[in-house]
């Protein structure tokens, strides 16, 4: 793998830049969770493991490729998105860089790419083209293919989870439905690979019968993890909505719909006592 060196260097520089930005925030007194920094390094480690390790020497050719595909294209993007690099950049960059990044995030191309169905079509559609279209067989073992898989997987995960700031954040129902449709398309693709390998390849049936279940069940595991994150987002959103609804009731008392309730009789009688309206000089004479 002649291109493994640049990939290793790129992943190392990205993780080092993330660490430096987080340290800058902490030096000026801003909080940044350590677990997000750990997610960044975990994503870099998994990506390097997928793109640079010699999987084909440990596993049959297509099974080794599928292990690298799962590591770089499905597992690594999840912690990379949970690390919230866009949010960190917006907080750590100087004002000119922050404005430039916001201009990119608020642009129409960014909004189109971050729309969950579009991101899913680019990610899952690219996999269907890779494995069902007559592409050169050497593409399946190119390290640069894993860069594409990681980028497409990161975009899909970014659009579905929507943890970083976006100008137009889609609703939870659309994001969950997109995840369900993408999971179904990924599972169908894995089943087709059990029956027949990519066009123009001569992988052995035993190799295909190991690679296809790895793709099927490995993809299910990552997609379940994404669903768990979405469920946690829904739970927190429902909690915030409940707190907003109960806040007027706490402020106005037991009334219905935020309207103050009836005054208790003992409070009403105290407010109508003659002594409460007696002038101060009469109270002083007493």
């Amino acid at each position: 793998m002649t291109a493994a060196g640049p990939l290793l260097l790129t992943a190392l520089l990205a993780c080092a830049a993330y660490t430096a930005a987080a340290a800058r925030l902490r030096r000026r007194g801003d909080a940044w969770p350590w677990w997000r920094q750990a997610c960044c390094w975990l994503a870099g480690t998994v990506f390097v493991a997928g793109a640079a390790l010699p999987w084909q020497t440990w596993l049959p050719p297509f099974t080794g490729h599928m292990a690298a595909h799962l590591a770089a294209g499905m597992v690594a993007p999840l912690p990379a998105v949970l690390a919230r690099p866009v949010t960190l950049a917006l907080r750590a960059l100087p004002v000119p860089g922050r404005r430039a990044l916001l201009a990119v995030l608020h642009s129409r191309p960014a909004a189109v790419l971050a729309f969950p169905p579009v991101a899913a079509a680019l990610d899952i559609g690219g996999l269907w083209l890779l494995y069902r279209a007559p592409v050169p067989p050497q593409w399946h073992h190119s390290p640069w293919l894993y860069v594409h898989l990681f980028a497409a997987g990161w975009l899909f995960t970014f659009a579905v989870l929507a943890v970083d700031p976006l100008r137009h954040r889609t609703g939870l129902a659309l994001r969950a439905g997109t995840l369900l449709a993408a999971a179904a398309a990924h599972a169908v693709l894995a089943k087709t690979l059990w029956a027949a390998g990519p066009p123009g390849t001569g992988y052995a049936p035993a190799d295909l019968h190991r690679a296809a279940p790895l793709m099927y069940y490995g993809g299910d595991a990552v997609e379940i993890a994404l669903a768990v994150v979405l469920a946690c987002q829904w739970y927190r959103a429902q909690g915030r909505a409940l707190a907003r609804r109960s806040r007027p009731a706490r402020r106005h008392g037991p009334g219905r719909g935020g309207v103050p309730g009836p005054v208790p009789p003992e409070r009403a009688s105290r407010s109508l006592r003659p002594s409460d309206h007696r002038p101060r000089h009469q109270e002083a004479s007493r």
Side-chain angles (χ1 to χ4, degrees):
M1 291 188 178
T2 58
L7 294 181
L8 288 170
L9 181 60
T10 302
L12 181 61
L13 290 176
C15 292
Y18 185 100
T19 303
R24 180 181 179 184
L25 286 185
R26 297 188 183 104
R27 281 197 304 269
R28 73 185 189 194
D30 294 338
W32 190 257
W34 287 99
W35 67 264
R36 290 181 184 166
Q37 188 169 330
C39 283
C40 176
W41 283 94
L42 175 62
T45 302
V46 175
F47 171 74
V48 168
L53 291 181
W55 295 97
Q56 284 76 22
T57 62
W58 306 330
L59 298 169
F62 195 59
T63 306
H65 159 77
M66 195 57 64
H69 156 222
L70 282 175
M74 297 196 72
V75 178
L78 179 56
V81 170
L82 292 178
R84 301 185 68 174
V86 178
T87 302
L88 177 62
L90 288 173
R91 294 180 61 183
L93 285 174
V95 174
R98 195 179 308 163
R99 289 175 178 171
L101 181 57
L102 279 174
V104 172
L105 291 174
H106 293 172
S107 64
R108 181 173 291 275
V112 172
L113 290 175
F115 188 57
V118 174
L122 293 174
D123 185 22
I124 306 301
L127 293 179
W128 275 86
L129 288 175
L130 176 66
Y131 295 126
R132 295 290 91 191
V135 299
Q138 60 268 23
W139 283 15
H140 295 157
H141 305 289
S142 171
W144 297 108
L145 170 66
Y146 305 122
V147 176
H148 162 74
L149 292 175
F150 175 80
W154 183 88
L155 178 63
F156 172 71
T157 307
F158 177 85
V160 168
L161 297 185
V163 294
D164 278 312
L166 289 171
R167 186 174 183 179
H168 301 289
R169 184 178 181 180
T170 55
L172 185 63
L174 178 60
R175 290 185 281 128
T178 302
L179 175 60
L180 183 62
H186 189 268
V188 172
L189 177 60
K191 291 181 178 180
T192 65
L193 290 174
W194 173 280
T201 62
Y203 297 120
D207 190 5
L208 295 175
H209 293 171
R210 294 181 64 181
L214 180 61
M215 180 181 182
Y216 185 90
Y217 293 110
D220 281 352
V222 176
E223 288 147 5
I224 289 172
L226 287 171
V228 169
V229 176
L230 283 179
C232 292
Q233 290 181 355
W234 174 84
Y235 183 80
R236 289 195 298 267
Q238 293 299 310
R240 289 192 295 266
L242 181 61
R244 285 193 300 268
R245 288 194 298 267
S246 62
R247 195 175 300 127
R250 291 197 303 267
R251 183 164 57 244
H252 297 289
R256 181 176 300 176
V259 178
V263 179
E266 61 273 12
R267 290 182 58 187
S269 61
R270 285 200 305 268
S271 64
L272 297 177
R273 287 184 302 175
S275 60
D276 294 338
H277 303 284
R278 185 178 295 122
R280 292 184 179 178
H281 69 275
Q282 295 182 9
E283 293 182 0
S285 63
R286 294 182 63 189

